[in-house]
Amino acid sequence: MTGTDYGHQLKQARERHGLTQQGLADKLVELAWVQSKQRVGVERQMISKWEREVKAPDKQYRKLLCSLYGMTEQQLGFCSNALLSPALFEASTIDPMFESPLDIVERLQFLSGSNVNDQTVTQLESVVDAVVEAYEMQGPAALAARVVRQRQQVQQLLEGPQHPRQRDRLYLIAGKLSALLGYMAVNLGKFSTATAYNREAFQLGHIIESSDLQAWVRGTQSFCAYYAGDFRAAVDLARDGQRYAKNGPQAVRLASNGEARALGKLGDARGVDEAVQRAYRLAERFEPVPGVSPCISFGLYSNARTASNAATAYVDLGLPERVREYADQVMPTFEASDSVWSQSLVRLDLAKSMVLSESPEPERAANLVVEALTISAERPITSVLKRSREFVHAASRWNELAAVSEVAETLQIAERR
């Protein structure tokens, strides 16, 4: 490869990135592991040989260098190109009405360059699916750092060149990862962090014109507002999300999880009825999802999720019969699933409705809350803790009962985890 000037190009690229030879070696080792879980043995001496053209990097290292710098092999001086003939540099070949042939060739090199292949993009898409499936088994505290790393890797790729279709896919992956981090932040009670991630995800959806992603993010923003206590904002965000969903699968989640639950907190019984009925009508348009859909699924909500949200909406309206109606529908499905949060939350809804009813059952309700906190003790989340606190407040007039006192003690233990 003598005469291609790759050594000079490598040195310039390294210096532009502010790297020493050892620093570059360390970056390549890290990048190889992040991209393909491969361990490579590159050292400062090897970088020196490349830059002095004593030895040329093999294909694996050329690929890593291109990915790191966001350049093509031709731009780094590795590939000769028959199009770059001496004639391209001759003034006689340049027509004053048009661009230089060399300019055209260089533009083609830039447009055809990419620091990622379709297989890598597909692998990143599978990471998003894996996070969705693992979420309730591992919880946000265990998964968040890993999702952050994936989001940073995608950002690093986006800073280099890709073909338009690859770039659109990377933007969608970046948006979904940011959206998932926003949801996780809500579950961990970090509302300002959730707000930042959600804004980023929504903007990425706007850039690639993905109304489905924007609808999903609006649902999480509504979810955030709900647990932050801003129920009017939760309703408005859920309704705006349905505008983006356009009667698609995300509209079911937005109507039940977002709109109906927040309207229940606002005491709007008629609004809750309408939102719940609308969610069920929308769900009938699609093939039903069996069992319990993942709580952070980018697909259709299962009927069990919709019914559970309906139960929650009717709790604060003081309608225990409606709460029981929907809870009875979902309890067998939840009990047969691995969704411990769902099992906990439906118990909490039943418990609160029992103490708000005209014929309260405080001891039975308290026992349900202790069960709920015990079920999700290993992975406590904001929604379980907040609803448990709401129960303690609603049941305060029975504090002398041992069962109610046990709730307060169990909750304190859960909050310290």
Side-chain angles (χ1 to χ4, degrees), residues 6-25 27 47-48 51-52 65 68-69 71 76:
Y6 69 83
H8 177 67
Q9 296 293 344
L10 286 177
K11 183 177 181 181
Q12 280 196 328
R14 174 175 61 78
E15 291 176 344
R16 280 198 303 271
H17 283 73
L19 296 171
T20 63
Q21 289 181 339
Q22 184 59 53
L24 174 58
K27 283 283 187 183
I47 304 297
S48 176
E51 294 182 356
R52 290 183 288 119
L65 288 163
L68 178 64
Y69 293 140
M71 300 172 68
L76 286 174

Side-chain angles (χ1 to χ4, degrees), residues 60-351:
Q60 178 188 21
Y61 289 121
R62 293 199 303 272
K63 182 178 178 182
L64 289 170
L65 288 163
C66 290
S67 180
L68 178 64
Y69 293 140
M71 300 172 68
T72 66
E73 290 195 19
Q74 289 174 338
Q75 290 169 333
L76 286 174
F78 291 127
C79 296
S80 60
N81 193 322
L83 292 174
L84 297 178
S85 63
L88 290 177
F89 297 89
E90 297 176 4
S92 60
T93 66
I94 302 176
D95 189 318
M97 292 181 63
F98 299 97
E99 299 167 272
S100 158
L102 176 59
D103 291 338
I104 297 170
V105 170
E106 288 181 340
R107 182 169 64 220
L108 177 60
Q109 291 173 341
F110 174 79
L111 292 174
S112 61
S114 177
N115 65 347
V116 70
N117 56 41
D118 288 342
Q119 182 181 4
T120 301
V121 179
T122 299
Q123 288 173 344
L124 288 167
E125 289 170 338
S126 70
V127 167
V128 173
D129 295 337
V131 171
V132 170
E133 291 299 324
Y135 186 64
E136 290 195 59
M137 294 299 294
Q138 297 187 30
L143 282 176
R146 299 177 68 180
V147 178
V148 167
R149 286 198 298 272
Q150 293 294 329
R151 178 64 184 87
Q152 290 171 341
Q153 180 186 348
V154 173
Q155 187 63 33
Q156 186 179 50
L157 291 172
L158 284 169
E159 290 171 2
Q162 298 93 32
H163 300 306
R165 57 184 173 79
Q166 293 172 329
R167 196 162 183 83
D168 281 353
R169 289 173 70 190
L170 284 174
Y171 264 94
L172 181 58
I173 293 166
K176 286 185 174 181
L177 289 171
S178 292
L180 290 172
L181 287 166
Y183 193 100
M184 291 181 190
V186 176
N187 273 163
L188 292 171
K190 300 179 184 295
F191 299 126
S192 59
T193 300
T195 298
Y197 276 124
N198 287 330
R199 284 176 178 167
E200 178 180 55
F202 189 85
Q203 183 62 22
L204 289 168
H206 171 73
I207 291 170
I208 58 173
E209 298 181 346
S210 175
S211 57
D212 280 347
L213 176 58
Q214 290 177 293
W216 195 96
V217 175
R218 280 290 190 254
T220 305
Q221 289 173 318
S222 175
F223 177 62
C224 184
Y226 180 87
Y227 280 107
D230 191 346
F231 305 119
R232 175 48 59 189
V235 172
D236 293 342
L237 286 162
R239 286 175 173 169
D240 189 56
Q242 289 170 78
R243 182 170 62 87
Y244 286 95
K246 302 173 184 176
N247 291 329
Q250 289 305 316
V252 178
R253 173 192 177 215
L254 287 155
S256 60
N257 184 273
E259 186 178 355
R261 296 196 314 163
L263 288 171
K265 289 288 188 181
L266 294 172
D268 186 347
R270 180 178 296 179
V272 169
D273 288 341
E274 196 280 325
V276 168
Q277 291 166 13
R278 182 171 3 106
Y280 276 107
R281 287 197 305 272
L282 287 165
E284 290 173 357
R285 298 161 57 98
F286 308 99
E287 186 71 25
V289 177
V292 184
S293 57
C295 63
I296 54 173
S297 171
F298 288 99
L300 178 67
Y301 241 30
S302 64
N303 285 337
R305 290 267 179 216
T306 302
S308 176
N309 292 158
T312 305
Y314 286 111
V315 169
D316 290 295
L317 293 175
L319 298 173
E321 297 81 9
R322 301 303 304 276
V323 176
R324 171 65 68 180
E325 173 190 346
Y326 287 105
D328 285 347
Q329 290 180 30
V330 301
M331 186 68 85
T333 304
F334 284 165
E335 294 299 288
S337 77
D338 295 324
S339 181
V340 295
W341 297 331
S342 299
Q343 294 168 16
S344 294
L345 292 169
V346 71
R347 283 171 167 80
L348 290 166
D349 286 341
L350 283 169

